[in-house]
Amino acid sequence: MLENRKVLQERIDLTENNLNSTIVKLEQQVIDTERRLKEVTRKYNEQSNSIEDKEADKVERLEQLTKEKDELLALVMQRGKTIEEKVAENKKLESKAEEARKRQKEAEERFERESAAVDSNLQIIKLRKELMHSQDHMTEIDKKFEAYKTHTNKLLQQK
């Protein structure tokens, strides 16, 4: 029995050594696994933070682009309104210009009529002056004729 005990003790010791060795290996594996877990957790956190940062950047960029789009839309609307106002103003000015051209044409036609009338009036005045001159000349000739007639009658009477 003693021998059995001894054998048993040796087996226990051997098993204990094996167990201790296995425990040391397992503890080392636990340490390695914890270290790898920490590394994986750290990488996960970094990637998660990177993804969150990228998402935040995307959200910020989206907000910026939305703001720019709204500003550009407002600018387009403002310019469209300005263009409409300018088009209306141009139509008004074109209408005024057309009216001015029409009035100018009417004034030119009136000027031509009045100018023709003035020319006619000048012609009438000229003809009246010529008529008066001719009448004066006729009166003078009549007076000379009367004087001649009177003179010739006197001469005839004297004979």
Side-chain angles (χ1 to χ4, degrees):
M1 249 214 355
L2 197 49
E3 224 176 81
N4 267 344
R5 235 177 182 202
K6 210 174 182 190
V7 169
L8 266 172
Q9 186 61 40
E10 283 179 8
R11 279 175 131 182
I12 289 175
D13 285 344
L14 186 61
T15 305
E16 200 174 84
N17 280 341
N18 281 342
L19 284 175
N20 280 339
S21 173
T22 303
I23 289 173
V24 167
K25 284 180 185 177
L26 287 174
E27 284 176 344
Q28 187 61 40
Q29 283 179 352
V30 166
I31 290 171
D32 285 346
T33 303
E34 285 177 345
R35 184 185 49 78
R36 281 187 291 155
L37 177 63
K38 284 181 183 178
E39 182 65 25
V40 167
T41 303
R42 184 188 61 77
K43 286 181 180 179
Y44 171 79
N45 287 337
E46 285 176 2
Q47 288 178 353
S48 176
N49 288 341
S50 175
I51 290 171
E52 288 173 3
D53 290 346
K54 287 178 182 177
E55 284 297 316
D57 288 346
K58 286 179 183 179
V59 167
E60 183 180 327
R61 180 71 176 145
L62 180 62
E63 288 173 355
Q64 180 184 5
L65 289 173
T66 302
K67 181 180 176 184
E68 286 179 21
K69 178 196 72 143
D70 291 342
E71 288 172 355
L72 289 173
L73 183 60
L75 182 62
V76 165
M77 294 299 284
Q78 179 186 4
R79 288 186 178 171
K81 185 177 179 182
T82 302
I83 288 171
E84 287 177 1
E85 290 171 356
K86 293 297 181 185
V87 165
E89 186 177 332
N90 282 345
K91 284 183 181 179
K92 229 186 251 183
L93 289 174
E94 285 176 11
S95 175
K96 285 182 180 180
E98 186 61 34
E99 184 64 30
R101 282 191 286 274
K102 184 178 175 182
R103 284 189 306 231
Q104 180 183 7
K105 185 176 179 182
E106 289 172 356
E108 287 173 353
E109 289 172 355
R110 187 176 62 241
F111 175 77
E112 287 177 15
R113 284 192 310 271
E114 290 175 359
S115 178
V118 167
D119 286 345
S120 297
N121 287 341
L122 290 175
Q123 188 72 20
I124 290 171
I125 291 171
K126 180 181 172 190
L127 290 173
R128 282 186 181 162
K129 283 182 181 179
E130 287 178 8
L131 176 63
M132 287 174 65
H133 181 65
S134 296
Q135 286 174 342
D136 288 344
H137 188 43
M138 279 302 289
T139 305
E140 189 178 318
I141 290 174
D142 278 343
K143 284 181 185 177
K144 285 182 182 179
F145 178 70
E146 283 299 317
Y148 175 74
K149 197 164 108 177
T150 309
H151 177 65
T152 49
N153 276 339
K154 279 185 188 179
L155 285 178
L156 279 175
Q157 280 177 0
Q158 279 178 4
K159 277 188 178 188

